[in-house]
Amino acid sequence: MEQFTGKVWVLGDDIDTDIIIPTEYLALKTIEDMKQYAFSPLRPDLASRIQKGDIVVAGKNFGCGSSREQAPEVVKALGIRCIIARSFARIFFRNSINNGLLLIEQPDLRGDVKEGDEITVAVNDHIIYGGRRYPIASLPENLVEILNAGGLVKAMAARNGVNRDSLNRS
């Protein structure tokens, strides 16, 4: 079982895809160009403060709004290791898994955790924060395969024997 520790950034309920990446920045050429504007309507400096391996903890309905695939791509490009929320919009959930971004639903952590603290995630088992163990559900094996491969395209390439180096998506 994979385990990792990361610094927490706390967000509220109903973080929609327009907050994750505002519409006006979708015209930029690459996700790398867009990522500096992530979460800017809510917290303009947040994207510049996030470090590789950090974790977002949010309330209910994270990723609601449009089905834009750039939203989870931008989050992943920032180096966020996973998002833990009370609940996720279903389309955002699928887009995230398909892009290799781990999402975890956990109903209690958001009410307890403080921004800047560290948490430890044991994937498909539990989260540890402040000496307390927060249970999490296991993801189905097919979704774990996609996440471990770095996304759906890479997972299918590996399953079908295609050279992963020939894929241009990250």
Side-chain angles (χ1 to χ4, degrees), residues 101-126:
L101 176 63
L102 175 62
L103 302 185
I104 298 171
E105 288 188 344
Q106 208 301 320
D108 304 317
L109 182 66
R110 170 63 180 81
D112 296 344
V113 75
K114 304 287 184 259
E115 189 160 289
D117 288 348
E118 286 193 344
I119 62 172
T120 299
V121 176
V123 177
N124 280 348
D125 193 30
H126 65 272

Side-chain angles (χ1 to χ4, degrees), residues 84-101:
I84 302 165
R86 288 186 175 132
S87 64
F88 293 94
R90 294 293 102 193
I91 293 173
F92 181 82
F93 186 89
R94 281 309 306 186
N95 281 341
S96 295
I97 298 297
N98 288 342
N99 280 286
L101 176 63

